[in-house]
Amino acid sequence: MSDKVYIFDTTLRDGEQSAGVGFTIEDKLEVARHLQRLNVDIIEAGFPVSSPGDLEAVSLIAREIKGPVIAGLARAAIGDIDACWQAVRHAETPRIHVFISTSDMHMAHQLRKNKEDVIEMVRATVSHAAKYTSDVEFSPMDASRSDPEFIFQVVEAAIAEGATTVNIPDTVGYAIPAEFGNLIKQVSERVSNIHKARISIHCHNDLGMAVANSLAGVLNGARQVEGTINGIGERAGNASIEEVIMAIRTRPDFMGVHTDVNTRELYGLSRLVERVSGIATQSNKAIVGKNAFRHSSGIHQDGVLKMRETYEIMNPADIGIPAGGTIVLTKVSGRHGLRSRLDDLGVSLSAEEFERVFEAFKDVADRRDEVDDRDLEAILSEQTSVHIAEQWTLDLVQVSAGDHASPTATVRLIGPDGALHSDAAIGSGPVDAIYQAINRVMGVQNELTEFSVKSVTEGIDAQGEVTIRIEADGGVYTGRAADTDILVASARAYLHALNRHLNAVTSREPAKSM
Ligand code: KIV
Ligand code: ZN
């Protein structure tokens, strides 16, 4: 049997560091449940000291998710480690992940510490973490730009103090595969106590080489790979974990290792992360992009129809991509057909949620010839908003706009008192007019910081999904909604975000402070 490569998913920690992303506790738990089904080895659930909301989310995941190790991140500081332990200690297997910068640049300009100080901090904090748990990971941040001799020393000290995983990050995505592979090889040869720890790698994608660097690390002895679903994360993101997993699975002849991942969960999880992060994957994204298994040229289509492997190096079914066309959902489809398609997509719903999705599906099916997977995703996304306690709901929105008219909107909302409240406003455009009218009714102070519309289906009757972000009272709240009318979707997305804010105020949903 080949060596196992442990898969460490950091979608909920490094992934959440993507600009503009802020997961709610519910989002985090849903992603963690799906990661559990994917059978990853380690879930890095968050950075507990960063906010009370994150500490609560990590601790909830630690209590709920059985199977994978649950890790929390901590700087090399006693307070961080104590907060991290508070959050992860309820897990079946808790891990504390301690990091500190080791490059000359970071030490001089950010930490303002010398090498001796840093080694001392590593010793003091890793040994402190090891008093709590036998599963401690240590990362020398910016390792790929650090003096390699210093990396060997720091890693040796961390292992001597109890670290059982040593993670070598390419924090700023600077490394080139051959160079990074060589660094990992040297860590395995030059650190005297390395046999007591597993070598891990954590690569960022600034030069588009995060996955290539990760694979080079594995070829040189790393046995844990860190990454995120869809490659989300700081700046250009992290290594796309689905790409690493499928490269290892597709090329065992060359890689000589395996993972224990249930790859059929990848597609559903990728869609879920798209929905909750608001970051759409590009169509040509490897493994999970819309076009990853679509063939356009006649020659390719001819080949694939004769024998799939002529132009497909992976079987889409192994990634959980639903076999297109086996069940065509239309307005005459029943619950059975819908449930079967949702099962294919890896979506499990309670009976009550399913009924709501079915009603929404019937509604869309009445307006479209066929309801495809992206329509369903939009319906499910809309369904997520139904989970949020809606203090205010939309009863009516009407807009008048045009190139010779001032955009004017009228809205009628149902308030928490069950009564109808209406108002109208003029705006700089139709969406602005709707938002001004809603503001007049609800009177909630906030700033709209992001607004995006994407078409989630094709054609003139396509569903548009609107994702927005507002800031209110120091918190950031996202709102999402889909409809064939993007002005209706815009109004609902705004209400979704405002309701999240109101829920946070009444403490049902703690705000993530940024
Ligand atoms: O990129 C990085 O160096 C990190 C560390 C905290 C592991 O995310
Ligand atoms: Zn990182």
Side-chain angles (χ1 to χ4, degrees):
M1 182 68 163
S2 63
D3 269 9
K4 167 169 166 163
V5 170
Y6 287 74
I7 297 297
F8 177 115
D9 182 277
T10 182
T11 307
L12 298 176
R13 197 278 296 170
D14 219 326
E16 196 183 23
Q17 288 176 218
S18 310
V21 171
F23 297 137
T24 63
I25 289 189
E26 290 81 2
D27 292 340
K28 280 196 150 198
L29 190 59
E30 196 180 352
V31 171
R33 289 212 169 99
H34 211 135
L35 286 167
Q36 179 185 28
R37 292 208 295 278
L38 183 66
N39 203 30
V40 297
D41 299 286
I42 303 105
I43 297 174
E44 186 164 54
F47 188 3
V49 84
S50 68
S51 74
D54 212 39
L55 194 146
E56 193 187 334
V58 176
S59 130
L60 182 68
I61 290 169
R63 286 172 206 272
E64 295 272 322
I65 305 296
K66 305 295 170 212
V69 171
I70 306 298
L73 186 67
R75 285 168 301 190
I78 300 296
D80 277 38
I81 291 168
D82 292 344
C84 183
W85 178 244
Q86 269 295 100
V88 296
R89 74 196 160 101
H90 306 284
E92 240 171 28
T93 319
R95 173 177 296 187
I96 299 176
H97 178 186
V98 181
F99 75 98
I100 189 166
S101 288
T102 50
S103 63
D104 288 345
M105 188 190 299
H106 281 206
M107 287 190 295
H109 300 291
Q110 193 179 12
L111 290 181
R112 306 223 160 88
K113 304 267 181 218
N114 61 31
K115 286 182 175 171
E116 289 69 38
D117 298 332
V118 167
I119 293 253
E120 202 30 61
M121 287 168 80
V122 170
R123 286 195 192 286
T125 53
V126 170
S127 60
H128 185 68
K131 284 187 203 134
Y132 286 130
T133 169
S134 57
D135 193 337
V136 177
E137 174 167 333
F138 170 71
S139 295
M141 185 152 94
D142 206 15
S144 53
R145 294 193 301 169
S146 302
D147 166 10
E149 295 298 329
F150 185 52
I151 294 288
F152 308 148
Q153 254 182 293
V154 172
V155 164
E156 198 161 273
I159 296 173
E161 298 299 338
T164 45
T165 302
V166 285
N167 178 45
I168 308 299
D170 180 21
T171 303
V172 290
Y174 179 72
I176 304 289
E179 178 193 31
F180 192 67
N182 189 41
L183 176 62
I184 301 305
K185 185 162 180 277
Q186 291 206 44
V187 168
S188 73
E189 289 171 356
R190 300 278 309 280
V191 176
S192 68
N193 52 4
I194 197 70
H195 58 282
K196 294 189 182 160
R198 182 173 296 136
I199 304 179
S200 168
I201 54 217
H202 176 112
C203 298
H204 280 266
N205 205 31
D206 299 65
L207 290 172
M209 288 190 280
V211 171
N213 282 329
S214 302
L215 297 177
V218 170
L219 288 170
N220 284 281
R223 289 296 176 263
Q224 175 178 291
V225 180
E226 304 194 356
T228 58
I229 296 293
N230 298 342
I232 64 171
E234 272 295 344
R235 307 180 310 281
N238 288 63
S240 286
I241 205 72
E242 66 277 6
E243 295 180 20
V244 173
I245 291 165
M246 289 313 292
I248 289 175
R249 182 185 163 121
T250 309
R251 296 301 308 274
D253 55 322
F254 192 78
M255 297 302 300
V257 290
H258 72 278
T259 74
D260 281 348
V261 165
N262 175 9
T263 58
R264 285 174 178 258
E265 294 291 340
L266 284 172
Y267 180 74
L269 183 51
S270 163
R271 297 275 82 86
L272 171 63
V273 170
E274 261 196 340
R275 279 205 303 274
V276 296
S277 67
I279 301 178
T281 53
Q282 83 258 25
S283 309
N284 60 332
K285 163 87 177 63
I287 317 295
V288 291
K290 187 180 97 185
N291 290 349
F293 291 92
R294 286 171 130 196
H295 305 274
S296 170
S297 103
I299 294 172
H300 288 218
Q301 287 181 349
D302 176 58
V304 166
L305 287 172
K306 288 176 176 147
M307 189 192 189
R308 191 185 55 73
E309 288 83 350
T310 51
Y311 291 94
E312 282 184 1
I313 60 166
M314 295 164 274
N315 186 342
D318 290 340
I319 296 155
I321 296 177
T326 46
I327 295 174
V328 179
L329 292 174
T330 66
K331 62 180 173 190
V332 292
S333 302
R335 286 180 173 72
H336 196 65
L338 176 63
R339 201 183 294 278
S340 147
R341 176 62 77 177
L342 291 174
D343 285 347
D344 282 347
L345 288 170
V347 174
S348 56
L349 300 174
S350 67
E352 189 195 319
E353 285 169 331
F354 177 81
E355 281 309 313
R356 282 206 298 264
V357 169
F358 184 68
E359 286 308 310
F361 153 71
K362 281 289 192 189
D363 196 36
V364 174
D366 264 338
R367 288 176 275 143
R368 294 179 62 80
D369 292 342
E370 186 186 325
V371 178
D372 67 16
D373 291 340
R374 281 168 296 144
D375 288 310
L376 282 182
E377 282 163 21
I379 291 170
L380 287 165
S381 165
E382 177 72 353
Q383 194 59 20
T384 309
S385 66
V386 178
H387 289 237
I388 306 301
E390 300 279 350
Q391 303 197 31
W392 290 84
T393 51
L394 182 70
D395 186 53
L396 167 149
V397 55
Q398 271 174 356
V399 181
S400 133
D403 59 355
H404 283 77
S406 300
T408 311
T410 305
V411 297
R412 193 165 66 214
L413 308 182
I414 304 170
D417 53 1
L420 293 171
H421 303 257
S422 341
D423 215 321
I426 295 176
S428 54
V431 174
D432 185 50
I434 293 172
Y435 287 10
Q436 302 289 349
I438 292 176
N439 287 345
R440 287 172 69 98
V441 175
M442 291 177 62
V444 177
Q445 285 289 331
N446 73 88
E447 192 191 338
L448 180 71
T449 53
E450 251 184 82
F451 176 91
S452 72
V453 189
K454 83 173 172 164
S455 163
V456 284
T457 53
E458 276 150 20
I460 195 74
D461 53 354
Q463 287 218 68
E465 186 179 64
V466 174
T467 304
I468 65 146
R469 206 159 268 128
I470 60 168
E471 287 184 18
D473 279 347
V476 179
Y477 305 90
T478 52
R480 274 186 296 274
D483 198 278
T484 46
D485 182 329
I486 59 162
L487 293 177
V488 174
S490 302
R492 288 224 207 102
Y494 190 46
L495 280 174
H496 185 197
L498 290 171
N499 277 317
R500 284 184 156 187
H501 165 53
L502 292 177
N503 289 347
V505 170
T506 50
S507 319
R508 287 207 300 275
E509 186 186 339
K512 182 179 161 57
S513 46
M514 308 288 270

